[in-house]
Amino acid sequence: MSEHLDDLTIFVIIFLIMAIFLLFLGIKSVPQGQQWTVERFGKYIKTLEPGLNLIIPAVDIIRSKLSMMEETMDIPAQNVITKDNVMVRVDVVIFYQIISASQAAYQVTDFTNAILNLTITNIRSIMGAMTLDKALSKRNTINLQLLKVVDDASLSWGVKVLRAEIKDIAPPQDLADAMAWQMKAERNKRAIILEAEGHRQTKILQAEGEKQAIILEAEGRKQAAFCDAKARERFAQAEARATKVMSDAIKNGNLQAINYLIFMGFGEAFNKLTTSKNTKLTLVPLEIIKLKGSGLN
C-alpha cells in the first residue's frame, strides 16, 4: 500500500511539472512594436499583439515575427539609361511600414525582396523616360511617381510605402566635368553681364547727374536774369518817377530843382574827368561851389 502511494505521488508530481512546463510553453510575450503570426497544424489562425498571449503548446507554432515599426531599405545603386542615352548611377532609399502582419507573412514569399525588385524596375522605367537635365532637376517628381507605383503594389502585401527618396544621381565623370565647366562658364558670363550692367548704370547715373547740374545752372541763370531784369525795371521806374518829379518842379519854377539838375550833370562830368588816366590836376570853377552852396542846401 505504501509503495502504491509513493508511485501515485511521483506521478502527480511529474504531471504537475509537465503541466507547468506546457503552460510556460504556451505563454508568449510579444515585444512592443512587433506582431507574431500563429499557425495550428500548418494553418494561420491568429496574430499575437504586443504583451502576454496564450497559445496551445505543441499544437500552435509561431510562424513569423514581424516588426510593425517604420523601417528603411537601401536600394543598391543602379545604372540607368536616360532618354537622351546617358548612363547615370542612381541611389534610392525606401521608407516602409508593415500594416498587416498576416498579409506580409502569407501574401508574398519575401516582401522586402519584392519591394526591392519593384523599386529597381520602376526607377529605370521612370528615369528612362526623362532626359538627364530633367532627371537632375525633377527629383521630387521622380520621388512621387516612384512612391505611387511601389505603394500601390505593396498594399496587397500588407506593407505601406511611406516615402521613396533619391539619394544621388551620378552621371559619368567626363560628363560631370563637362557640366561643371558649363556651369562655371555660365557663372562667369553672368558675372560679366552684371559688371557691364553696373558700368552702364554708373554712366547713366553720371549723365543724369550732369544733366541735372546743367538744368539747375540754367535755372539759376534764368532766375538771376529775371531778378536783374526786375531790378532794372524798378530802377527805371524810380528814374522815371524822379524825372517826372523834377520836371514838375522845374515847370513850377523851383530853383532848387534847376540847381540840382545842373549840379548832377556837373558831378557826372567831373567824376569822369577826375578818374581819367591823363588827369594830373583838376580845377573846380568858383561858380559851381557857389551854386552848390546856394541851391542845394
Side-chain angles (χ1 to χ4, degrees):
M1 185 68 178
S2 176
E3 292 179 0
H4 179 70
L5 290 176
D6 291 339
D7 292 337
L8 181 62
T9 302
I10 293 172
F11 175 78
V12 170
I13 293 173
I14 294 174
F15 178 80
L16 290 176
I17 292 174
M18 292 181 61
I20 293 173
F21 179 72
L22 290 175
L23 181 63
F24 178 76
L25 291 178
I27 298 176
K28 299 298 180 181
S29 176
V30 180
Q32 183 66 36
Q34 291 188 8
Q35 287 185 0
W36 296 356
T37 59
V38 179
E39 291 181 356
R40 179 176 297 167
F41 303 118
K43 180 181 179 181
Y44 166 79
I45 57 170
K46 65 178 178 178
T47 300
L48 302 184
E49 300 290 339
L52 290 177
N53 296 268
L54 292 176
I55 63 173
I56 301 175
V59 176
D60 297 340
I61 61 172
I62 304 299
R63 170 67 169 78
S64 302
K65 296 180 179 181
L66 300 174
S67 172
M68 307 302 290
M69 296 181 290
E70 182 177 344
E71 297 189 26
T72 61
M73 179 188 300
D74 284 319
I75 308 299
Q78 300 296 312
N79 291 324
V80 178
I81 299 177
T82 62
K83 186 177 181 180
D84 48 354
N85 295 322
V86 177
M87 182 175 290
V88 295
R89 195 168 182 82
V90 184
D91 287 334
V92 183
V93 60
I94 298 293
F95 298 82
Y96 69 93
Q97 184 177 21
I98 297 175
I99 56 177
S100 173
S102 59
Q103 287 181 297
Y106 297 103
Q107 293 295 328
V108 63
T109 302
D110 183 356
F111 70 87
T112 57
N113 187 58
I115 293 176
L116 173 65
N117 286 282
L118 187 63
T119 302
I120 293 174
T121 302
N122 283 278
I123 194 63
R124 289 177 175 171
S125 175
I126 293 171
M127 293 191 63
M130 295 182 175
T131 62
L132 177 60
D133 291 339
K134 188 175 181 180
L136 292 174
S137 61
K138 300 289 185 181
R139 288 195 181 192
N140 191 49
T141 302
I142 299 173
N143 291 338
L144 293 176
Q145 292 182 8
L146 183 61
L147 173 63
K148 185 178 185 307
V149 174
V150 178
D151 183 47
D152 290 344
S154 62
L155 282 177
S156 61
W157 306 332
V159 179
K160 174 69 175 175
V161 177
L162 304 174
R163 291 182 301 281
E165 300 289 342
I166 293 180
K167 294 194 297 183
D168 187 33
I169 300 177
Q173 187 59 43
D174 56 344
L175 182 59
D177 294 339
M179 293 173 63
W181 181 87
Q182 182 181 5
M183 291 176 62
K184 182 179 179 180
E186 286 292 333
R187 286 195 295 268
N188 292 337
K189 177 182 176 182
R190 287 195 296 268
I192 293 172
I193 292 174
L194 290 175
E195 184 178 1
E197 186 67 23
H199 287 313
R200 176 175 174 271
Q201 289 295 330
T202 300
K203 290 181 178 180
I204 290 174
L205 292 175
Q206 184 178 359
E208 286 290 336
E210 293 175 356
K211 176 183 175 182
Q212 290 296 325
I214 293 173
I215 292 174
L216 291 175
E217 184 180 357
E219 288 289 338
R221 289 197 303 268
K222 177 182 176 182
Q223 188 67 26
F226 178 78
C227 293
D228 188 48
K230 280 289 185 182
R232 286 196 302 271
E233 180 183 356
R234 290 175 183 175
F235 181 76
Q237 290 175 355
E239 285 287 335
R241 285 195 297 270
T243 301
K244 185 177 184 303
V245 170
M246 293 299 296
S247 178
D248 292 341
I250 293 172
K251 185 178 180 181
N252 294 329
N254 190 327
L255 184 60
Q256 288 184 346
I258 296 171
N259 292 337
Y260 175 77
L261 286 177
I262 295 171
F263 184 78
M264 288 298 294
F266 174 80
E268 292 180 2
F270 184 75
N271 182 54
K272 292 180 180 179
L273 181 63
T274 56
T275 57
S276 175
K277 294 181 179 180
N278 298 324
T279 302
K280 303 297 183 180
L281 178 63
T282 303
L283 299 176
V284 180
L286 183 61
E287 288 78 3
I288 295 302
I289 298 175
K290 290 181 180 180
L291 179 61
K292 178 180 182 298
S294 61
L296 298 176
N297 287 330

